[in-house]
Amino acid sequence: MTEDVTTATPRQWLAGARPQTLPAAITPVIVGSALAHAAGGFALLPALLALLVALALQIGVNYANDYSDGIRGTDKDRVGPLRLVGSGLARPKAVRTAAFVSFGVAAVAGLVLVVLSGQWWLIAVGAASILAAWYYTGGKRPYGYLGLGELFVFVFFGLVAACGTTLVQLGWSSPASLVGAAAVGCWTTAILVANNLRDLVGDQASGKLTLAVRIGDRATRLLYAGLIGAAAVGLIVVAALTNWWALLALAGVALLVPSVLAVLRGAAGRDLIGVLKTTGRTEVLAALGLAVGLIVAGLT
């Protein structure tokens, strides 16, 4: 990495945080809170703290990936959004510090949440979440380079985030929250699958063995479509376990159909950037549809 590094502007630091990925952090909190409401236990402060934890972790993992991929040189021929280290706009140490500050914010907010909820065992879950976020692309053997990134996203940005949000409000998790968390995990994992499909050629050339590189182009496209289908089935099951008004969540699935078709028909490179944005936005829309449906159900 060259020493002649330009100072990144605030706008570039914001771009480096990758705000387009934040739906992956927001969605599980909306779903977990909606299901807590359906069970009669919604609590605003824990919900807001859970949101802060999720956002800080997402931003932290984005900066951590920027740092780790940048110093390894895997971002040199990147199709996607700006990377601070890979583009030479910021020094690696500064980006690493930004990641650690974000993880620190998540840790503090999480600790407050643990104290309020009395669920002390969640400290271990929080520590595991931060370690998983760092070692996704960090360390000597990052598991994101071994094709395990999708598993991390499904577990931590699906099961842990959504069930955890319900848990800190209710004190327990319902079957509906588990199914809803799995649906969120599938949808969020689909975002990563689309991202890795877009970067498949570059990752393959740099030796980054993502799941897309391991299973190939066609199987990755089928996996994306399968994950969206599984998320839709999960939302239907949630409606069956709670109230049929929750099927409003399927509006997000309907709006995503063109993106699914584009992926299956061979969209590549920059064409997948639009797919990524749509997948994230419709995920939030589906979560909001679920929340609105369950609120309406509670009023009728």
Side-chain angles (χ1 to χ4, degrees):
M1 184 63 59
T2 177
E3 290 298 320
D4 184 20
V5 180
T6 307
T7 301
T9 65
R11 183 184 294 273
Q12 289 167 335
W13 275 104
L14 177 61
R18 300 183 69 189
Q20 71 273 13
T21 67
L22 296 185
I26 297 169
T27 300
V29 178
I30 296 176
V31 170
S33 296
L35 293 171
H37 168 77
F42 173 74
L44 180 60
L45 181 56
L48 291 176
L49 286 168
L51 179 61
L52 179 57
V53 171
L55 289 172
L57 278 176
Q58 181 66 64
I59 292 170
V61 77
N62 288 341
Y63 281 133
N65 292 347
D66 190 312
Y67 165 76
S68 297
D69 285 343
I71 63 173
R72 285 188 171 89
T74 55
D75 277 343
K76 289 182 179 179
D77 300 313
R78 185 173 176 79
V79 177
L82 171 77
R83 287 296 184 100
L84 295 166
V85 176
S87 63
L89 288 169
R91 297 184 184 279
K93 184 177 180 180
V95 178
R96 184 182 62 189
T97 299
F100 288 165
V101 168
S102 299
F103 292 148
V105 171
V108 171
L111 185 58
V112 174
L113 193 52
V114 166
V115 172
L116 289 176
S117 66
Q119 303 286 340
W120 294 97
W121 61 276
L122 288 178
I123 292 177
V125 175
S129 299
I130 292 173
L131 289 173
W134 174 254
Y135 286 107
Y136 173 48
T137 54
K140 293 182 178 180
R141 290 183 60 82
Y143 64 86
Y145 283 47
L146 301 174
L148 298 174
E150 285 77 6
L151 179 61
F152 158 72
V153 169
F154 180 80
V155 171
F156 288 99
F157 284 94
L159 300 182
V160 171
C163 284
T165 298
T166 304
L167 177 67
V168 295
Q169 295 179 58
L170 289 178
W172 48 276
S173 289
S174 64
S177 69
L178 181 59
V179 176
V184 170
C186 287
W187 206 311
T188 305
T189 302
I191 297 175
L192 179 60
V193 169
N195 178 83
N196 289 342
L197 176 63
R198 181 198 64 197
D199 296 338
L200 192 154
V201 175
D203 288 342
Q204 193 169 33
S206 64
K208 185 176 181 180
L209 300 179
T210 62
L211 183 61
V213 172
R214 288 183 176 276
I215 67 177
D217 183 274
R218 184 58 182 169
T220 301
R221 296 177 187 278
L222 293 174
L223 176 60
Y224 173 84
L227 286 167
I228 297 302
V233 171
L235 293 173
I236 293 171
V237 174
V238 168
L241 292 172
T242 55
N243 189 285
W244 291 109
W245 274 102
L247 288 178
L248 286 175
L250 294 182
V253 179
L255 292 174
L256 192 56
V257 168
S259 292
V260 173
L261 292 176
V263 169
L264 291 176
R265 289 169 180 169
R270 294 191 178 279
D271 291 337
L272 288 170
I273 294 176
V275 170
L276 278 164
K277 291 180 179 178
T278 302
T279 307
R281 290 168 181 170
T282 53
E283 182 185 27
V284 175
L285 180 61
L288 289 173
L290 177 69
V292 170
L294 291 177
I295 289 172
V296 171
L299 297 175
T300 57

